[in-house]
Amino acid sequence: MKPSAFNTKIFNLFDQNWAIVTAGTPDRYNSMTISWGSMGTIWGAPNHGRPIVTVYINPLRYTYEVLNESDRFTVSFFPKANRPDLILMGTRTGRFGDTKKGTNLTPVFDNGFVYYRESILTFECEKLYQQTLDKKQIPASIADAFYAPEEQAHRMYIGEVKKIIEKGEEDE
């Protein structure tokens, strides 16, 4: 599907549905559950902006390391039946083992991208930009709620959407 044809309740997608971000290659990849993200357009003339997905990864996560080394990533959303899989993948680190072990998720390797067969919506993205958020620019009430004084803030990754894979939610 072309990004211009995509339509959704944008403010619910990450916050209520969660997602799995996956980075790396078929030989070395890692996935983690996320609930922070955004979508829009950037760096284009009017009516020709690049469609983007932005995700935010904590530097303590193994996915941070893998995504820093990767030019591509995917962001996948799942039917409600897979919520236990997302919970499990959100509590494990790929640094010490396979995050998908014990889940019902099956990796798919598509032209250098990795996502999961069970997803109902996947964005294949090429990384355009990355930068660590500056805690001094975050309102103190938010920074204090999410970060310890010595803790580094999340890193923002902006990916240009190259392909959208959308399937129906048959399980619901």
Side-chain angles (χ1 to χ4, degrees):
M1 165 193 312
K2 290 184 177 184
S4 60
F6 179 67
N7 186 16
T8 191
K9 294 178 180 176
I10 199 75
F11 294 109
N12 296 343
L13 199 55
F14 282 97
D15 191 44
Q16 294 179 14
N17 295 342
W18 305 350
I20 289 179
V21 62
T22 304
T25 66
D27 296 330
R28 179 180 175 254
Y29 66 93
N30 195 66
S31 304
M32 67 174 271
T33 302
I34 59 171
S35 64
W36 293 2
S38 58
M39 297 178 183
T41 57
I42 196 169
W43 294 319
N47 299 317
H48 297 327
R50 285 179 168 83
I52 59 164
V53 174
T54 304
V55 296
Y56 306 87
I57 309 295
N58 188 298
L60 299 175
R61 299 299 301 255
Y62 180 59
T63 303
Y64 174 92
E65 179 182 318
V66 177
L67 189 46
N68 283 340
E69 298 169 359
S70 301
D71 293 329
R72 299 173 167 190
F73 64 93
T74 60
V75 178
S76 300
F77 296 88
F78 295 82
K80 289 180 182 173
N82 288 101
R83 182 56 68 112
D85 297 323
L86 275 71
I87 291 170
L88 190 57
M89 290 188 76
T91 60
R92 291 186 173 161
T93 177
R95 194 178 318 276
F96 305 116
D98 183 358
T99 56
K100 69 184 178 315
K101 186 176 180 182
T103 71
N104 295 307
L105 301 179
T106 310
V108 173
F109 307 105
D110 181 21
N111 201 27
F113 292 95
V114 183
Y115 68 96
Y116 293 93
R117 177 175 296 124
E118 294 76 13
S119 65
I120 56 173
L121 176 63
T122 296
F123 297 89
E124 293 184 346
C125 302
E126 287 186 2
K127 192 167 56 176
L128 291 176
Y129 182 77
Q130 63 186 25
Q131 182 174 355
T132 300
L133 299 177
D134 182 352
K135 286 196 314 187
K136 295 176 194 160
Q137 299 299 319
I138 301 171
S141 61
I142 295 172
D144 293 347
F146 288 94
Y147 304 106
E150 68 284 348
E151 185 179 9
Q152 185 177 352
H154 286 70
R155 176 166 279 189
M156 167 182 67
Y157 299 88
I158 299 175
E160 182 175 2
V161 177
K162 294 300 186 177
K163 182 177 175 183
I164 299 173
I165 303 161
E166 187 172 26
K167 300 182 245 175
E169 225 176 305
E170 309 88 294
D171 297 334
E172 292 212 311

